[in-house]
Amino acid sequence: MYHHPAFIVLAFIVGLIATRKQEKIFRYIALFMPIAALISIYIMPPQVVFDLFKTGIIWDGSFYNKLIGFAFCIVLIAANLYSIGQNKKLEIILGSAYAASSLLCLFAGDFLSLFIGLELMMLFSSSIIFIGEGRFSIRSAKKYFITHFTSSSLILLGIVHIISKSKSLALISITSLMPNPEYSNVVLIMMLVGLLINIAAFPFSGWMVNYYQNASTSGFIYLISFTTKLSLLLILKLFSGLLALKYIGIMMILYASIKAILENNILKLLCYLSIMAMGLMLMGISIGSFVAINSVICYLFIHILYKASLSLCTVSVIDSTGIIDCSDLKKISNNTIVLSSIISIAMMISLPGTSALQIKSAISHLFSGDVFYLAPILLSLITVYSLPWKNCFKKHVASQRIMLNNYTRASLILMSFVLICVGLFGSKLLFLTNGTTFDYPVMFSFDSLKQLIIISLGFYLALKYKIKKFHTESINLIEWFGKIFLQLHSWWFSKSNEDPPITESWSIGSLEHQISTKLTVIHNQKTAIFIVFIVFLTILITLLLLA
Amino acid sequence: MMQLAGPNILVILTIFIGIVNLITPFISKEDSPVRSFFLIATSVSFLCNVLMLDYLFLNGIEPSFTILDFGKYSIALRLESLGMIFLNLLAVLWTCSLLYTIKFLAINEIKNSNRFLFFLNCCIMTGSFIALSANLFTMFIFYEMLTLFTIPLIVHSTNKKSTQGLFKYLKILMISALLLLLPAIIIIYVNTGGGNFVQGGFIAGHFKDSHAIILLLMMIFGTAKSALFPLHGWLPSAMVASYPVSALLHAVVVVKTGLFCTYKIIAYVFGITYLQTLFASYNWLVLFPIVTIIYSSFQVLRFNEIKMILAYSTINQLSIALLSAFLLSPKGFVAAVMHMISHSFSKVCMFYAAGNIYSVKNSYNLSELVGIKNTMPKTSFVMLIAGLSLIGIPPFAGFISKFYILLAAAEQNNFLVITILLISSLFTAAYVIKMLIFIYRPSSEHFILHLKLKPYFVEASENESTNRVTSSNYEAEKKLPIFMIISIILCLSGVVGFFFIQQVIVKFLGFI
C-alpha cells in the first residue's frame, strides 16, 4: 500500500504544506517528490489486491500504466521546476495533488479507486483554475467543475450499474459487456459519454479550450498534462474495440483542425492541437487489436512529453513578454526556448527519424485501404499549418529577447533531454518499464517520404497563405444546457414573485388570513401554545381512558 | 411496572445522566467554568454509557422495560439496532452541541441561557427516548414532546419574525401529527391489538392492501419532521432561530427524528417484505421524495441568504434519505440509515461554521462571506470539507452514503431514482460552489482592512468604535472560544472518517 506512487506524492504534499514558509526545504521536497514517485512506479508489482473492509481494492502495475506513470512524473518534475521559478507555491501544491490523484486513477484496477481518482482530479484541477488570478478565473473554475461533475456523474452511473450486475469492483472491458442483455447499453453509452467529455471530444471541448487559458501559466502546464490523457487511457482500458470511437475521433480531428487554423490565442491553439491528437488516438482505440493498443499507448506517452515541453516553451514566452496572441509573436532570441520548441515540434509533427513517426505510422497503417487513412495525414498537415511560422521568420523585425531564470531553463532542458532520448531511442528505452521493444509493419522509407511531403506542404501553405486569425470560443454543450436552465429558472421565479391579482374568490388562504388577523387572541404566541398543549393533554387522557 | 435487571439499570442510569444535564443550567452561573464542566462531563458520561449499551447489544443483550402501562398502551423502552444507531448519533452530537452552544451564547450575548440550555437538553433527551421507544405510542408521545420542547428555542428572541416562524412550524407539525399520525396509530392499535415494534413488521394480514397503503401514507406524512413536500414549510420558517438551534433542528435531532420514525415504521411496523408485496406492481412511493427533491433543488438556487440555502439543502438531503428507504430493499434501507448519519455530520459542520462566521461578522447573505478566508481560514476550510461532503465528493461522508444509495437503486434497475439522485447532486454542487466561491474569492487588501467585525474580534490596539481589521493576515477566529473549535473538529472528523463509522453502522444493521 505504501508503495503506491499516489500515496508517496501525497505524503510529500503534506511536507510541502508544512514547509511552505521555508523556501529551500520546500523546493527540495517539490523536486524530490516526482523522483520518489518514479522509483515507486518502477518497483511496483504487476498487481496488488487487498481487502479494505470488504472492498476489493486492486492496484494495477501493468507495463502500460507504468509507461504513462513515468511520463506523468517527468512532466511533474518539469512543471514543479517551472513553478518554483515563478514562485507559485500554491500551484505546486495543487498541481502535485492533481498529479497524485491522476496516478491513483492511472493505477486503479477497480472502479472505486478509479472514480475516487477522477473526482479528486476534478477538485484539484478546478482549484488550479480558480487561483488563476485572471478576470474570468473564478467563473471558468465554476463552469469547469460543473462540467466535470456532470461527466463524473455519468461515469458513476455506469460504474454502479456494472458493479450491481457483476458483483465485483474489478475493471472489465465494457465493450465485451455490450452484447450481454443483462447490461443496459444506454447506461454504458452514458458512461462512455462521460469519458468523452473528459477527453474534450466534440461538442464538449469548450471546457478545455475556454477555461484552461484562465489558469496561471504554471497552472496551465499541470492542467494540459493529465485529465485528457488519463481519460483517453481509461477509454482504452474500458472501451477498446468499440467501432463508434473511430467516428468520434475523426469528428474531433475535423473540428479541432478548423478551430486550430483560425485560433490566434497560443494557449487555445495548444489545446486544439491536443484535441486533434486525442482524436487520432481514439481512432486507434476503436480498432482494439494488440498493435493498435500498443501504438496508442506509446503515442500517448510521447504526446504527454512533447505537449508538456511545448507548453513550457509557450508559457515561458508569455510570462516573459506578456504576448498571448500568435499574431504578436516575434523571433525569439533565447537558445533554450528555441531549441526546446524545435525538439517538441519535431516530435509533434512526427519528423522523419524520430520514434514519433514510427508510432504514428503504425496507427496510420491500421486504417490502410480505408478513407480514415486520411485522418493522420490531415492531422499532420493542419498541425504544421496552424503553427505561427511566419511570425518567427519575419524579416526586418527585431527579435524578442527573453531572459529565463535557472529553474525555467532547467525544466526546458530536462524536457528536451527526455524528448531527445525518447525521440531517438524510444523503443530501446522501454526496458526501463520492464516492457519489451515493439516492432511494427512500417515501411520506413515510404512513411518518411510521405511525412516529409506533408510537412513541407504544410510549411509552404503556412508561409504562402495567411488566414486572418482571431480568438475563437469552443462549444461546451453542458455550459449551453446550464445557461438555458438558468434562464428558465430566473424567468420562472421572477414571474412567481409577482403579487397575485386581487380576486373575490373563496380560498383557505384568505380565510386563514382573515381569522389570524382579526382574532388576535388565537394568533397570540402564548395562547396558541397553551391551546395546543391542552388539546394534546386531552387527547392523551382520552386515549388512556379508552385503553 | 419496570423490571429491574442489570442491563435495565444501565439504561435507566443513562437516562438519569441525561436528566442531570437538564438541571445543571439552573444550579450554575451563566458562562461559568463550572457550568461548562458539568454540562460537558455529563454529556460525555452519557456517551460512555451509550457505548456500554452498544457493547451489551452487540453481545446479544437487548434490555427492555415498561415505564407506564395503561393496558393496550404503554410507555416502554427497548434496545434495538436502529434505535441504537440513532442513540449513538445523538450522544455524539449532544457533546458537540453543548461544546458549541455554551460559548456561542456567551460571545453572542444571548440572554436567558439557562432556559436555552434546558430546552436544548430536553430536545436531545426526548430524541433519546424516541430512539429507545418500544412501541408506536411511546414514539408518538415523545415525538410530540420534541415539538413542544423546540418552541422556546425558536422564539428565544421574541420578535414578530420568530413568532410568525413558530406559528407556521407548530401549525404544520402539530396538525399533521394529530390529524394523520395519531389516527393511524389508534387504528393500528385497535385492529392489531398492540403497537410494539417487531422485526419484520406486525401489520401484515390485519388490513386489506389498500387500507395498509393508506395507513402507510398517513404515517409517512404524519411524521412531517422528515419535511416531505408539501409539509416541508416548517423547516425554512424555523430558521429564524439562532445557529445552534438551527443546527439542532436541521442536523441533530428534529429532522433526524422524522427520518428515524419513518424508518421504524417501515422496518418494524410494516416490514420491508410486506411493503414489497404491497408495491409489487410499481413502487410509486418513491415519487413523493422525488417531487420534494426536484422542488427543493429548484428553490435552493433562488436564495442568497445562508440559512435559507441550508434549509432547502436539508429538505433535499432528507428526501434523498427517504428515497433510499422507499426503495423497499434491505440495501436501500442500509443506505438510508447511512445517509441520515452522514448528513448529520456534514450539516452540523456547515451550521457551526456558519455560526462561527455569524459570531465574528454578523453575516446573513452569501455576499457577506467575501474576505472570510483571510480572517477565518480554518472555518472556511471546514465549510469547504462539509460542502464537498454534501456534494458527494470522495472520500467524505456524503460520497459513501450516496454510493450505497446508487448501488441499492442499481440493483433494482431503478434508473429513475439514480437519475434523480445524480441530478440532485448537480444542483447541490451548484449552490455549494456558489457559497464556496464567495468564501474563497480573492479580495483586495483594502477590502479586508475594511471588513466590519464584531468588537470582540477586533485587535486590541484598534479603535474599537470603527471595528476594523489592521492587517490582511489578521485571523479573527483565533479569538473564538476553544470549545467551539473542538466541537467543529469533532464533527469534521465524522465527515472525514465516515468510512470507518459506516462499518459500525453495517454491523448494527446486521441485526435487523
Side-chain angles (χ1 to χ4, degrees):
Chain A
M1 183 171 173
Y2 304 107
H3 291 164
H4 197 291
F7 293 119
I8 303 269
V9 173
L10 221 62
F12 276 92
I13 289 170
V14 172
L16 282 175
I17 295 170
T19 59
R20 65 189 184 278
K21 293 197 173 133
Q22 282 118 39
E23 296 284 338
K24 240 181 176 173
I25 304 174
F26 185 90
R27 287 174 193 186
Y28 284 135
I29 294 175
L31 293 175
F32 187 66
M33 167 174 55
I35 298 169
L38 265 170
I39 297 167
S40 74
I41 290 172
Y42 184 66
I43 63 174
M44 196 173 180
Q47 200 180 65
V48 177
V49 181
F50 63 93
D51 198 19
L52 184 69
F53 292 108
K54 292 180 192 170
T55 53
I57 301 290
I58 304 168
W59 286 331
D60 180 13
S62 66
F63 157 65
Y64 293 151
N65 288 344
K66 283 186 177 183
L67 188 64
I68 304 302
F70 273 139
F72 281 167
C73 291
I74 293 165
V75 167
L76 185 59
I77 300 173
N80 280 0
L81 270 169
Y82 184 80
S83 301
I84 290 170
Q86 300 297 311
N87 201 22
K88 300 266 190 184
K89 286 187 183 157
L90 195 51
E91 261 89 344
I92 293 173
I93 294 171
L94 288 171
S96 304
Y98 182 35
S101 44
S102 305
L103 290 170
L104 178 67
C105 198
L106 174 68
F107 289 104
D110 64 280
F111 280 114
L112 191 61
S113 312
L114 187 141
F115 185 74
I116 291 173
L118 277 174
E119 291 281 88
L120 292 175
M121 281 172 67
M122 171 187 70
L123 197 61
F124 293 124
S125 51
S126 309
S127 310
I128 291 172
I129 300 175
F130 186 82
I131 60 169
E133 291 172 6
R135 249 178 72 200
F136 303 109
S137 296
I138 295 174
R139 203 190 303 174
S140 298
K142 184 170 87 171
K143 290 180 189 175
Y144 180 94
F145 186 90
I146 297 291
T147 305
H148 281 274
F149 192 76
T150 308
S151 67
S152 305
S153 301
L154 292 171
I155 295 168
L156 184 61
L157 176 66
I159 288 174
V160 294
H161 180 61
I162 293 168
I163 293 173
S164 67
K165 297 295 174 203
S166 64
K167 309 286 181 216
S168 162
L169 285 175
L171 287 185
I172 43 177
S173 166
I174 295 176
T175 316
S176 61
L177 295 179
M178 282 182 162
N180 189 336
E182 226 183 279
Y183 292 87
S184 164
N185 276 2
V186 172
V187 172
L188 298 177
I189 288 167
M190 301 280 262
M191 187 175 176
L192 174 63
V193 169
L195 287 168
L196 289 172
I197 293 172
N198 277 357
I199 66 162
F202 175 81
F204 304 107
S205 51
W207 66 261
M208 186 182 183
V209 178
N210 301 339
Y211 309 151
Y212 270 10
Q213 48 143 2
N214 290 314
S216 62
T217 46
S218 47
F220 181 83
I221 302 167
Y222 292 106
L223 290 170
I224 204 158
S225 303
F226 296 113
T227 298
T228 46
K229 287 47 171 179
L230 190 69
S231 301
L232 188 89
L233 193 65
L234 292 178
I235 293 178
L236 186 143
K237 286 180 183 178
L238 302 172
F239 290 96
S240 72
L242 189 67
L243 194 60
L245 294 177
K246 194 162 63 174
Y247 301 97
I248 298 168
I250 192 75
M251 261 202 315
M252 284 172 73
I253 292 173
L254 288 171
Y255 175 74
S257 302
I258 297 167
K259 288 288 194 174
I261 293 169
L262 300 172
E263 183 57 58
N264 200 15
N265 184 308
I266 308 173
L267 297 177
K268 283 186 177 182
L269 176 62
L270 285 176
C271 294
Y272 283 124
L273 294 175
S274 199
I275 293 170
M276 283 161 63
M278 292 289 124
L280 179 67
M281 285 187 265
L282 205 62
M283 288 174 64
I285 294 171
S286 73
I287 303 296
S289 63
F290 174 75
V291 170
I293 291 181
N294 243 16
S295 313
V296 168
I297 296 274
C298 295
Y299 189 67
L300 182 62
F301 173 71
I302 291 171
H303 173 78
I304 293 169
L305 295 173
Y306 76 63
K307 189 45 60 105
S309 174
L310 197 54
S311 305
L312 270 168
C313 299
T314 310
V315 300
S316 306
V317 170
I318 293 173
D319 274 334
S320 306
T321 62
I323 294 172
I324 55 163
D325 289 346
C326 297
S327 52
D328 295 336
L329 274 176
K330 295 175 192 169
K331 263 188 289 191
I332 293 165
S333 67
N334 183 301
N335 292 336
T336 317
I337 293 179
V338 169
L339 273 168
S340 298
S341 307
I342 289 170
I343 294 166
S344 319
I345 291 170
M347 294 293 278
M348 186 167 69
I349 63 176
S350 309
L351 200 67
T354 62
S355 59
L357 172 66
Q358 203 178 357
I359 296 162
K360 202 179 206 171
S361 304
I363 298 177
S364 304
H365 284 287
L366 295 168
F367 300 99
S368 292
D370 197 336
V371 69
F372 290 98
Y373 186 73
L374 293 172
I377 296 172
L378 178 69
L379 187 142
S380 300
L381 186 66
I382 300 296
T383 304
V384 176
Y385 178 75
S386 60
L387 291 172
W389 302 106
K390 209 164 186 180
N391 294 63
C392 300
F393 293 106
K394 265 185 195 165
K395 290 178 189 171
H396 312 300
V397 174
S399 55
Q400 184 85 48
R401 232 182 124 67
I402 295 175
M403 298 300 292
L404 298 174
N405 61 53
N406 290 335
Y407 289 100
T408 309
R409 195 173 295 119
S411 68
L412 288 168
I413 291 169
L414 169 71
M415 290 309 298
S416 304
F417 174 72
V418 169
L419 278 172
I420 289 170
C421 294
V422 168
L424 295 176
F425 311 109
S427 56
K428 293 170 182 54
L429 282 173
L430 284 173
F431 80 88
L432 286 171
T433 57
N434 298 328
T436 53
T437 57
F438 48 86
D439 294 305
Y440 298 98
V442 169
M443 292 179 283
F444 191 72
S445 56
F446 169 76
D447 287 308
S448 300
L449 187 63
K450 186 186 85 183
Q451 193 67 11
L452 266 173
I453 293 170
I454 294 167
I455 292 169
S456 309
L457 181 62
F459 203 64
Y460 171 75
L461 289 171
L463 292 175
K464 187 83 178 167
Y465 299 105
K466 192 181 173 183
I467 291 179
K468 190 170 165 49
K469 289 179 178 253
F470 51 92
H471 287 198
T472 67
E473 289 285 314
S474 192
I475 300 169
N476 183 2
L477 261 191
I478 293 167
E479 192 183 336
W480 282 13
F481 284 135
K483 279 183 183 163
I484 294 168
F485 168 77
L486 284 172
Q487 285 289 346
L488 288 170
H489 185 271
S490 58
W491 172 80
W492 175 261
F493 282 106
S494 65
K495 282 192 91 66
S496 60
N497 279 341
E498 288 165 3
D499 291 327
I502 299 165
T503 55
E504 286 285 325
S505 62
W506 287 99
S507 68
I508 295 173
S510 60
L511 182 66
E512 184 195 84
H513 178 73
Q514 297 257 341
I515 294 169
S516 61
T517 48
K518 289 192 176 144
L519 298 175
T520 51
V521 64
I522 293 174
H523 200 56
N524 176 278
Q525 175 200 335
K526 294 187 182 83
T527 324
I529 295 168
F530 180 71
I531 290 172
V532 163
F533 195 62
I534 293 295
V535 166
F536 176 63
L537 265 179
T538 313
I539 293 169
L540 186 61
I541 294 164
T542 314
L543 279 173
L544 293 172
L545 287 173
L546 281 175
Chain B
M1 280 293 289
M2 276 188 286
Q3 290 167 354
L4 292 175
N8 290 349
I9 293 174
L10 188 59
V11 177
I12 294 164
L13 183 65
T14 309
I15 296 167
F16 177 73
I17 290 170
I19 290 169
V20 164
N21 241 359
L22 300 181
I23 54 173
T24 307
F26 296 104
I27 57 170
S28 53
K29 237 175 143 180
E30 266 193 44
D31 195 29
S32 64
V34 170
R35 170 186 280 191
S36 306
F37 172 75
F38 272 109
L39 282 171
I40 293 160
T42 316
S43 64
V44 171
S45 311
F46 183 85
L47 175 61
C48 293
N49 264 41
V50 168
L51 291 173
M52 283 194 275
L53 287 172
D54 288 339
Y55 176 75
L56 286 177
F57 181 79
L58 289 171
N59 282 293
I61 300 166
E62 294 181 23
S64 66
F65 57 86
T66 309
I67 300 171
L68 290 171
D69 197 348
F70 308 107
K72 216 190 282 188
Y73 302 93
S74 61
I75 296 179
L77 303 178
R78 188 170 77 90
L79 254 60
E80 44 79 25
S81 46
L82 203 55
M84 285 311 300
I85 293 169
F86 191 47
L87 189 63
N88 276 281
L89 177 68
L90 287 175
V92 167
L93 292 178
W94 194 1
T95 311
C96 299
S97 299
L98 282 174
L99 279 167
Y100 187 86
T101 308
I102 296 166
K103 290 301 170 187
F104 183 90
L105 295 173
I107 61 171
N108 285 286
E109 293 166 356
I110 294 174
K111 294 184 172 42
N112 296 317
S113 60
N114 299 347
R115 189 178 81 196
F116 193 100
L117 288 167
F118 172 74
F119 283 107
L120 186 110
N121 292 334
C122 281
C123 289
I124 307 259
M125 276 310 298
T126 317
S128 306
F129 278 109
I130 294 170
L132 294 171
S133 57
N135 54 51
L136 280 167
F137 182 70
T138 313
M139 188 182 85
F140 176 77
I141 296 292
F142 288 108
Y143 179 90
E144 290 299 287
M145 280 174 70
L146 180 61
T147 309
L148 297 174
F149 284 138
T150 46
I151 294 168
L153 294 172
I154 295 169
V155 289
H156 192 78
S157 53
T158 46
N159 53 49
K160 191 179 175 191
K161 204 175 169 191
S162 57
T163 317
Q164 281 174 344
L166 173 71
F167 187 64
K168 194 169 182 181
Y169 172 83
L170 272 182
K171 196 168 61 172
I172 295 174
L173 289 184
M174 295 296 285
I175 292 173
S176 60
L178 294 174
L179 290 185
L180 293 172
L181 184 61
L182 182 60
I185 291 174
I186 294 170
I187 292 167
I188 288 172
Y189 266 87
V190 167
N191 276 275
T192 64
N196 289 336
F197 294 127
V198 172
Q199 238 169 37
F202 60 90
I203 222 168
H206 287 100
F207 297 94
K208 277 187 199 168
D209 285 357
S210 52
H211 293 172
I213 290 173
I214 293 169
L215 269 178
L216 176 70
L217 291 175
M218 282 173 74
M219 296 188 98
I220 287 170
F221 285 99
T223 45
K225 285 189 174 77
S226 50
L228 211 53
F229 184 89
L231 299 173
H232 65 284
W234 65 269
L235 215 158
S237 305
M239 282 303 224
V240 294
S242 58
Y243 275 100
V245 177
S246 299
L248 190 77
L249 291 175
H250 295 236
V252 180
V253 179
V254 176
V255 295
K256 298 302 177 296
T257 302
L259 278 184
F260 174 74
C261 292
T262 310
Y263 295 166
K264 268 200 140 157
I265 289 162
I266 290 173
Y268 296 135
V269 177
F270 286 82
I272 293 175
T273 317
Y274 179 56
L275 287 172
Q276 282 172 348
T277 56
L278 279 182
F279 293 94
S281 54
Y282 178 68
N283 182 6
W284 47 265
L285 204 58
V286 295
L287 296 176
F288 296 113
I290 284 174
V291 167
T292 315
I293 288 168
I294 294 170
Y295 170 79
S296 55
S297 299
F298 276 83
Q299 285 287 82
V300 77
L301 294 175
R302 284 175 61 197
F303 294 101
N304 284 320
E305 212 186 307
I306 300 168
K307 278 190 167 180
M308 283 295 121
I309 290 172
L310 294 178
Y312 280 98
S313 164
T314 303
I315 295 170
N316 189 284
Q317 297 292 321
L318 292 176
S319 301
I320 290 172
L322 283 175
L323 183 65
S324 182
F326 290 172
L327 286 172
L328 304 177
S329 69
K331 280 198 173 149
F333 194 78
V334 169
V337 174
M338 295 273 189
H339 198 71
M340 180 176 79
I341 311 291
S342 76
H343 175 252
S344 291
F345 283 112
S346 308
K347 215 22 104 49
V348 148
C349 281
M350 283 221 108
F351 270 106
Y352 285 170
N356 279 3
I357 296 170
Y358 172 82
S359 302
V360 170
K361 206 179 157 276
N362 261 351
S363 308
Y364 295 98
N365 292 320
L366 288 180
S367 53
E368 289 163 358
L369 294 177
V370 181
I372 283 296
K373 77 164 168 62
N374 295 78
T375 50
M376 305 179 73
K378 295 172 187 70
T379 306
S380 306
F381 181 71
V382 170
M383 287 284 252
L384 173 69
I385 301 294
L388 293 178
S389 175
L390 274 179
I391 294 172
I393 303 286
F396 304 120
F399 166 71
I400 296 171
S401 58
K402 187 171 92 171
F403 194 68
Y404 269 96
I405 298 173
L406 286 169
L407 279 178
E411 205 179 56
Q412 293 185 337
N413 287 332
N414 199 329
F415 293 114
L416 174 64
V417 168
I418 295 173
T419 309
I420 292 294
L421 195 58
L422 293 175
I423 292 173
S424 163
S425 302
L426 207 57
F427 277 95
T428 310
Y431 68 76
V432 168
I433 292 300
K434 192 166 122 181
M435 203 184 305
L436 293 176
I437 282 175
F438 275 107
I439 292 173
Y440 283 97
R441 180 188 293 267
S443 34
S444 63
E445 196 162 330
H446 173 82
F447 183 88
I448 296 164
L449 291 174
H450 284 80
L451 276 175
K452 273 193 172 180
L453 306 183
K454 285 187 182 170
Y456 178 76
F457 294 95
V458 177
E459 283 175 300
S461 58
E462 191 51 42
N463 180 356
E464 289 191 5
S465 64
T466 55
N467 300 341
R468 295 202 196 282
V469 174
T470 48
S471 82
S472 58
N473 293 327
Y474 175 63
E475 285 185 25
E477 68 183 357
K478 281 184 177 161
K479 285 197 160 189
L480 280 170
I482 187 75
F483 279 1
M484 288 170 79
I485 310 290
I486 293 171
S487 170
I488 289 183
I489 290 170
L490 285 173
C491 298
L492 196 66
S493 51
V495 173
V496 174
F498 191 75
F499 179 73
F500 304 102
I501 296 172
Q502 54 113 3
Q503 306 295 330
V504 177
I505 296 170
V506 168
K507 198 162 186 181
F508 271 100
L509 289 175
F511 288 87
I512 291 183

